Amino acid sequence: MPNEQCLLELRAVSKTFNGVPVLADVDLRVGDGEVITILGPSGSGKSTILRIIGGFTAPSRGRVILGGDDITEVPINQRPFNTVFQDYALFPHMTVAENVGYGLRVRGAARADMAQTVARSLRMVQLDGYGQRYPAQLSGGQRQRVALARAIICQPRLILLDEPLGALDVELRKQMQGFLKDIQREIKTTFLMVTHDQEEAIAMADRICVVSAGKVLQIGRPRDLYYRPGTEFVARFFGENNLLKGLLGAAGNHYRHVEAGWGPIRCAVDGQPEIAGAASGLAAYGAVRPEEVSLHPADARLDAELNRMEGRIEAVSFSGALTSVRVVHTGGACVLQVRLQSRAEGVPIQVGQSVVASWRAEACRVVLA
Amino acid sequence: MQGGSGLSGRREGADGRRWRALQQALIVATVYGLPVIFVLVPLLTFLVYSFFWVEGGAMHYSLSLQNYLRFFAGEAFFRVFWQTILLCLGVAAMATLVAYPVAYFLTGIKGRMKSTLVMLILVPLLMSYIIKIYALRSILGANGLLNQLLMGLGLIDTPSSFFVFNLNAVMLTQLALLIPFAVLPILLSLERIPRNLLEASTDLGAGGGQTFLWVILPMSLPGVVAAATFVFVLAIGDFLTPQMVGGQAGFTFGRIVYSQFGIAFNWPFGAALSVILMGVIVIAIVVGARYGSSRRGTA
Ligand SMILES: Nc1ncnc2c1ncn2[C@@H]1O[C@H](COP(=O)(O)OP(=O)(O)OP(=O)(O)O)[C@@H](O)[C@H]1O
Ligand SMILES: [Mg+2]
């Protein structure tokens, strides 16, 4: 949340259900106007975080702060937030227009104003002309948009979305992600969105908050989480990653080495003071993304600054735009996944070939085991 | 050997298939046949009977409309008929009004306590009708609990006969007997409302009253209509309660029908009145089904 003003803050929020801890000391700062996705495996406590913010569930400990005011005890209907529920929770006995206008009706808005605002909201979610239908007469994507229109019509400070696209098929999901993003840019309202789909999190979020087993593991921009994972869980969570095991070498300001059995791995540590200062000798991984590794003939002369590993190609598999290659260290000590751009004539590599794999220290990070 | 067993196996198979087909036919015949024999045939018999007529104590087995003409022309019958419909509508309305808060209260309770309370409502349904009526009669009677209570509170000086042997008594007794029938459909419809709709309503800023009025009440309306239909149909078909607590003043249509069979021995006229009653019940059910499910969709 580097530049924006802080809108909402969770301070050491914990939750236990019947003695079973579900959230442990969750801290979260949500900036005004930003899109945060809460990402984590099933049962990790994502919905619980959202429900605590919405007021549906009271935290066992900790505070919820809105713009400096403690709102932990404020009832649901007095919080300036609106929720888009996973299964939309549209009122089946009301038309689309009545659903969308519900928040205004509750506030006693005049009928004429209401009709106008509802029409505007429906236009915004591209559903003009659908006002007189009932939810049962809509497709999944349309219902989703009604739920969104219903939430934004009250001009909340924060919109909470619990897996808003979870019920949609892949194609529609992609489309709706773009749609949600566009709407958010238009109304500039803060979005806090739960998902367990990493691609969705990356596509939607300004910042991602990774949750696992009731703890926040890391909060940061998608790029940072992808290239500078703070924990092994995060390092493994977003796509494929090479985690090369070793022991942390001597401290350094810009680089540190992870001493693997087959050689040192040079890793950048800028922007990671806790890694730069970590005790040497700790078990650690050098983490490098498959697409950051390049392959060279065994006798190639390489820049001494580069990380390198000599090995043999064990498998090559074509998967469209990219081709995955598995390189095994000559001594068998280490396996490296490499991703190359596919070429029409095929990548110039064959199984059994000896190669040197190399990657830049800047693309390689230390992850403590 | 192998061929032989195979052959006999096939023959058994054919027999088995025939046997199974027979079984199937028997089941179908039972499933559709029993209702036809025990429901449809009596109804049709009644319908036919209602066109026969009695004169001078003798049955005439020729078709005539005179039973129906007698009903619609004779003011006395029609008046009782109309009064009974109003009475039963009243009972249905009041039973539903009482049942709604009870059901609403029950949805708010969880676990063991709830099943216990629901059982308490169900148990009277299993008790003998006559015993229940007797019990209520003693409560409503001149020296009954109700009068004692009112006198104790100083609201009346002498025991009132307002509650016994008249239509009030019929109404109060039927109300007490039929409320459980109204609670159940309402309870079911309330329980079927997804919790997250209530959360959505509150999330959008609604207070408890608004959520009730705009979400809970309309969504439980099918249950309300079902409850009212239930009670109405049960009340209008009931001749025992009016017979036992109605006295001279509490005359209802059900009693007239009953008397045609039991006292007047005019079965054709009784049958015609039954057919009319049946018509009212069918209309009630059709109207109920219509208004009970007019709400669109489920999502
Ligand atoms: N009302 C409740 N009573 C008891 N336990 C609960 C309750 N709500 C949630 N839990 C438990 O808390 C944990 C976290 O639940 P939560 O719904 O927050 O998970 P989630 O991250 O949203 O998972 P999913 O991706 O499956 O939706 C789960 O183990 C769940 O069983
Ligand atoms: Mg969830």
Side-chain angles (χ1 to χ4, degrees):
Chain A
M1 194 197 51
N3 303 320
E4 298 105 343
Q5 208 182 333
C6 177
L7 173 72
L8 181 93
E9 194 182 345
L10 294 187
R11 286 192 194 147
V13 165
S14 300
K15 178 71 189 174
T16 53
F17 282 114
N18 314 319
V20 181
V22 168
L23 292 180
D25 286 326
V26 169
D27 289 305
L28 177 66
R29 290 164 65 88
V30 181
D32 208 355
E34 95 178 310
V35 178
I36 292 194
T37 57
I38 301 178
L39 180 63
S42 183
S44 54
K46 307 180 296 290
S47 298
T48 307
I49 294 178
L50 221 61
R51 292 179 61 82
I52 286 174
I53 296 172
F56 302 108
T57 304
S60 309
R61 263 183 296 114
R63 314 308 302 172
V64 182
I65 313 287
L66 173 72
D69 300 324
D70 188 330
I71 59 160
T72 317
E73 318 287 339
V74 172
I76 307 170
N77 53 1
Q78 284 164 33
R79 298 190 185 201
F81 310 149
N82 284 122
T83 305
V84 175
F85 294 84
Q86 173 162 6
D87 44 6
Y88 318 134
L90 298 178
F91 304 120
H93 60 292
M94 296 184 196
T95 61
V96 167
E98 287 167 342
N99 264 285
V100 173
Y102 192 82
L104 301 176
R105 183 175 169 199
V106 159
R107 284 163 182 75
R111 200 169 279 270
D113 295 347
M114 217 163 97
Q116 227 168 41
T117 318
V118 167
R120 190 158 2 100
S121 299
L122 283 178
R123 213 170 309 126
M124 186 181 265
V125 297
Q126 297 168 11
L127 282 177
D128 27 341
Y130 286 82
Q132 293 318 306
R133 294 221 197 167
Y134 284 85
Q137 300 167 322
L138 299 180
S139 73
Q142 290 168 337
R143 282 180 209 167
Q144 218 287 323
R145 282 181 277 163
V146 174
L148 185 67
R150 188 176 69 171
I152 60 183
I153 204 166
C154 306
Q155 302 182 309
R157 304 280 300 278
L158 174 65
I159 294 185
L160 304 167
L161 306 101
D162 193 348
E163 308 215 18
L165 310 178
L168 307 180
D169 61 49
V170 181
E171 200 58 29
L172 194 54
R173 241 180 130 114
K174 287 261 153 58
Q175 202 182 318
M176 286 299 299
Q177 283 169 12
F179 183 77
L180 273 180
K181 195 85 194 159
D182 289 346
I183 296 259
Q184 197 274 336
R185 276 195 207 103
E186 194 173 336
I187 61 175
K188 297 186 184 63
T189 308
T190 312
F191 273 36
L192 189 58
M193 177 175 148
V194 164
T195 175
H196 59 235
D197 176 347
Q198 349 138 357
E199 272 180 50
E200 186 168 295
I202 291 177
M204 299 284 308
D206 295 321
R207 289 194 305 146
I208 298 176
C209 167
V210 181
V211 182
S212 170
K215 291 200 182 63
V216 173
L217 296 182
Q218 191 171 0
I219 307 178
R221 292 177 305 164
R223 290 185 70 80
D224 290 340
L225 265 64
Y226 190 76
Y227 288 115
R228 296 183 195 177
T231 66
E232 186 179 341
F233 181 88
V234 177
R236 292 189 193 277
F237 201 63
F238 294 93
E240 215 175 344
N241 209 350
N242 290 298
L243 295 184
L244 310 173
K245 197 161 188 143
L247 298 175
L248 195 57
N253 271 341
H254 300 293
Y255 299 99
R256 287 190 80 160
H257 287 85
V258 172
E259 306 292 347
W262 47 270
I265 307 165
R266 201 160 115 96
C267 303
V269 293
D270 54 289
Q272 293 179 293
E274 68 292 346
I275 298 283
S280 61
L282 287 175
Y285 299 101
V288 61
R289 293 283 170 185
E291 64 271 21
E292 292 290 340
V293 180
S294 41
L295 298 177
H296 314 273
D299 53 358
R301 302 171 65 90
L302 297 176
D303 190 337
E305 297 274 278
L306 289 175
N307 285 305
R308 50 183 292 152
M309 187 189 91
E310 274 135 40
R312 210 168 47 81
I313 306 291
E314 206 185 58
V316 177
S317 73
F318 169 75
S319 58
L322 298 171
T323 298
S324 294
V325 179
R326 192 158 79 233
V327 183
V328 178
H329 180 254
T330 318
C334 178
V335 177
L336 200 60
Q337 287 291 344
V338 183
R339 226 164 8 237
L340 306 175
Q341 291 289 332
S342 298
R343 290 278 170 266
E345 59 276 18
V347 290
I349 271 171
Q350 271 144 28
V351 174
Q353 199 177 334
S354 289
V355 289
V356 179
S358 76
W359 62 97
R360 294 170 305 123
E362 284 68 25
C364 190
R365 292 278 162 174
V366 175
V367 174
L368 296 177
Chain B
M1 167 88 202
Q2 189 147 9
S5 84
L7 208 65
S8 78
R10 233 190 331 275
R11 198 176 312 130
E12 266 170 29
D15 279 353
R17 229 170 299 136
R18 210 169 303 142
W19 172 231
R20 229 165 297 128
L22 191 68
Q23 268 183 322
Q24 205 103 58
L26 268 174
I27 290 171
V28 170
T30 320
V31 166
Y32 292 101
L34 287 182
V36 168
I37 293 171
F38 289 108
V39 178
L40 225 51
V41 168
L43 282 179
L44 284 176
T45 316
F46 257 63
L47 191 62
V48 174
Y49 243 92
S50 72
F51 292 105
F52 299 154
W53 44 288
V54 170
E55 205 175 63
M59 281 284 286
H60 294 261
Y61 293 98
S62 58
L63 301 184
S64 134
L65 274 176
Q66 60 170 276
N67 291 323
Y68 291 95
L69 292 174
R70 183 175 164 206
F71 170 75
F72 285 107
E75 205 151 285
F77 291 121
F78 196 79
R79 210 189 60 241
V80 174
F81 175 69
W82 186 238
Q83 223 168 36
T84 307
I85 288 181
L86 289 183
L87 173 82
C88 295
L89 283 176
V91 170
M94 281 187 288
T96 310
L97 274 179
V98 176
Y100 200 97
V102 173
Y104 190 75
F105 166 77
L106 281 173
T107 42
I109 298 176
K110 288 190 184 59
R112 229 199 167 79
M113 184 68 176
K114 179 187 208 151
S115 40
T116 311
L117 289 174
V118 171
M119 271 312 284
L120 272 181
I121 288 175
L122 288 179
V123 162
L125 297 183
L126 304 176
M127 282 167 34
S128 158
Y129 208 71
I130 310 243
I131 292 177
K132 284 189 288 185
I133 296 175
Y134 267 119
L136 282 162
R137 195 159 82 169
S138 72
I139 289 175
L140 298 173
N143 297 315
L145 199 63
L146 192 59
N147 267 315
Q148 304 272 350
L149 195 74
L150 290 177
M151 288 202 297
L153 290 173
L155 292 175
I156 50 175
D157 305 327
T158 51
S160 163
S161 59
F162 186 74
F163 307 111
V164 74
F165 297 132
N166 54 25
L167 281 181
N168 297 327
V170 175
M171 191 169 73
L172 286 172
T173 310
Q174 285 195 328
L175 192 58
L177 292 176
L178 297 177
I179 281 173
F181 288 100
V183 172
L184 291 180
I186 297 175
L187 181 62
L188 281 181
S189 75
L190 283 171
E191 303 247 290
R192 271 219 307 270
I193 301 176
R195 266 192 70 87
N196 67 1
L197 291 187
L198 311 185
E199 287 188 344
S201 173
T202 317
D203 181 74
L204 291 162
Q210 289 170 318
T211 299
F212 178 78
L213 218 59
W214 294 338
V215 179
I216 298 177
L217 189 60
M219 289 198 71
S220 60
L221 228 47
V224 170
V225 172
T229 312
F230 249 46
V231 173
F232 178 80
V233 167
L234 289 171
I236 206 160
D238 177 19
F239 64 90
L240 215 68
T241 307
Q243 191 81 359
M244 290 179 67
V245 304
Q248 288 295 319
F251 217 65
T252 64
F253 195 65
R255 284 174 79 178
I256 294 184
V257 176
Y258 176 69
S259 68
Q260 293 310 314
F261 289 99
I263 301 158
F265 277 111
N266 190 342
W267 282 35
F269 189 52
L273 296 181
S274 301
V275 168
I276 289 165
L277 192 60
M278 197 65 210
V280 173
I281 289 173
V282 167
I283 289 171
I285 290 173
V286 167
V287 168
R290 210 188 155 85
Y291 283 90
S293 61
S294 70
R295 295 294 165 185
R296 261 155 259 221
T298 47

